[in-house]
Amino acid sequence: MSFKEQDSCGCEEHVPPSSLAADYIPSIVQQLTEGFTSRKWSSHIEPVAIPSKKEVVDLVLQAQRILFPGYFSSTMLNPSSLEYHLGHNLTIFYRNLSRQLNSAIRHDCFRHNQPCSNCNARSHEQAGRVIRALPKIREALESDIEATLEGDPAARNVDEVIFSYPGFFAVFVYRLAHALFSLGIPVLPRMLSEYAYHRTAIDIHPGAAIGESFFIDHGAGVVVGETCVIGDRVRLYQGVTLGALSLPRGAGRKLRDTKRHPTIEDDVIVYANATILGGDTVVGARSIVGGNVWLTKSIGPDTKVLLKQPELVYIGKNE
């Protein structure tokens, strides 16, 4: 009795030569190569490095160790070791940030055929500016922590906010990304905000201007557009969209540098799943926008915008 090797499902292991991948892979490789080298499809086939997503994520983790000492460190800290901890981690952060800035700037220059702009010197200069901005960023983050403690009775202490509040993490990454965006750094700010979105489902464009004591409760589904202006002590709930009105085809490039997203003034509360659209839309100070409201017109200060109570229909024994 002859014996043939079979796999667990009873099929013969030997594949007919005509169906081997080697028969069609070369032609697919050729088609893909032609698409990329002809610039028909987007790719990064260039003699300069592009920023590393992994190292950009590492920058966020390094910034956490600097701005929240003791929370994300592998060793315990005390007052005598704090200065060494900060100096050591700031040095690493500066070196890694300079390298990623250099890649971002060189990549942008090469892609746009720009003349040499002293990428290496610029990257170190810009990294230094970010380092010098860290105390101010940390001060703003402290106000965000206090806003969370004041706005959410479930937040029992600072530790819970720093460790476990997705809204606070998204705001932390935003403030770091916004510092880079304000310096005109390409690519990196959006890579940071994408990482925060991946972690929290909160999408804050680094170009938005957000004041102090900013609190996002729960957070999932929140969208804050590039040209949003948000004042101090503003509170957003999950599912809130601060977006742009629908644009005609081709308007993306024409309106790129115009204000397309709303202005939210000081002490405003926007409840869950509310949508506020348009660059001319202003929500006045101390106003309240209720849940599920769709708003495309400005409202003055001290205004409440609410939906009427819907009629509920009960079906069953308890009707």
Side-chain angles (χ1 to χ4, degrees):
M1 179 177 176
S2 61
F3 174 80
K4 290 184 178 181
E5 291 185 355
Q6 294 182 334
D7 61 19
S8 58
C9 69
C11 298
E12 294 185 4
E13 288 186 350
H14 300 289
V15 180
S18 60
S19 63
L20 289 174
D23 290 344
Y24 53 82
I25 282 182
S27 66
I28 299 302
V29 168
Q30 184 177 3
Q31 292 176 54
L32 291 172
T33 300
E34 290 176 355
F36 292 131
T37 56
S38 67
R39 304 287 183 174
K40 178 182 178 182
W41 303 330
S42 299
S43 65
H44 179 70
I45 309 169
E46 300 171 357
V48 296
I50 197 169
S52 163
K53 186 171 183 178
K54 178 183 180 301
E55 293 195 29
V56 169
V57 172
D58 287 343
L59 286 174
V60 174
L61 304 181
Q62 290 161 12
Q64 279 187 311
R65 290 192 288 271
I66 294 166
L67 297 178
F68 308 105
Y71 284 98
F72 303 98
S73 304
S74 57
T75 58
M76 293 181 60
L77 296 179
N78 55 57
S80 61
S81 63
L82 176 60
E83 189 171 347
Y84 172 80
H85 166 83
L86 291 174
H88 175 70
N89 281 279
L90 273 169
T91 301
I92 295 173
F93 182 74
Y94 173 80
R95 182 188 63 206
N96 294 344
L97 178 59
S98 297
R99 184 165 57 242
Q100 295 308 306
L101 287 173
N102 190 34
S103 295
I105 294 171
R106 290 186 66 203
H107 168 73
D108 197 58
C109 288
F110 185 87
R111 173 150 288 190
H112 294 93
N113 296 316
Q114 296 175 347
C116 178
S117 57
N118 299 314
C119 301
N120 192 50
R122 283 178 60 199
S123 64
H124 284 85
E125 178 187 353
Q126 303 290 46
R129 291 187 179 184
V130 174
I131 294 292
R132 291 193 291 273
L134 288 179
K136 185 176 181 180
I137 291 173
R138 185 58 182 85
E139 189 69 26
L141 288 169
E142 192 65 22
S143 74
D144 301 326
I145 293 172
E146 290 300 320
T148 304
L149 292 171
E150 291 178 8
D152 185 4
R156 298 185 180 278
N157 52 59
V158 171
D159 299 344
E160 285 189 1
V161 175
I162 293 175
F163 273 132
S164 58
Y165 268 63
F168 178 72
F169 179 80
V171 173
F172 151 64
V173 176
Y174 154 76
R175 296 206 183 278
L176 189 62
H178 182 69
L180 292 169
F181 186 91
S182 299
L183 294 173
I185 302 299
V187 184
L188 279 183
R190 293 303 302 271
M191 294 176 73
L192 289 169
S193 61
E194 189 278 333
Y195 173 62
Y197 174 73
H198 177 76
R199 282 271 304 266
T200 66
I202 298 170
D203 187 4
I204 307 176
H205 194 288
I210 301 177
E212 295 188 353
S213 301
F214 184 47
F215 173 39
I216 302 176
D217 201 358
H218 303 294
V222 167
V223 176
V224 178
E226 176 188 13
T227 60
C228 274
V229 176
I230 298 176
D232 296 332
R233 299 172 300 280
V234 170
R235 188 188 312 173
L236 306 181
Y237 286 81
Q238 68 272 16
V240 167
T241 296
L242 306 179
L245 291 165
S246 179
L247 301 175
R249 184 182 296 275
R253 290 186 174 88
K254 296 178 183 177
L255 301 179
R256 184 157 291 161
D257 297 321
T258 62
K259 192 174 187 309
R260 308 178 305 280
H261 306 92
T263 296
I264 312 297
E265 295 185 345
D266 295 346
D267 300 292
V268 168
I269 300 175
V270 185
Y271 281 100
N273 300 312
T275 299
I276 305 173
L277 305 178
D280 295 327
T281 303
V282 178
V283 176
R286 300 172 300 282
S287 292
I288 295 176
V289 179
N292 298 303
V293 165
W294 183 280
L295 191 64
T296 58
K297 295 181 180 179
S298 296
I299 60 174
D302 303 295
T303 302
K304 291 183 180 180
V305 182
L306 309 171
L307 289 177
K308 288 184 178 180
Q309 183 71 27
E311 181 182 355
L312 301 179
V313 178
Y314 298 89
I315 300 173
K317 294 181 180 180
N318 296 324
E319 67 182 42

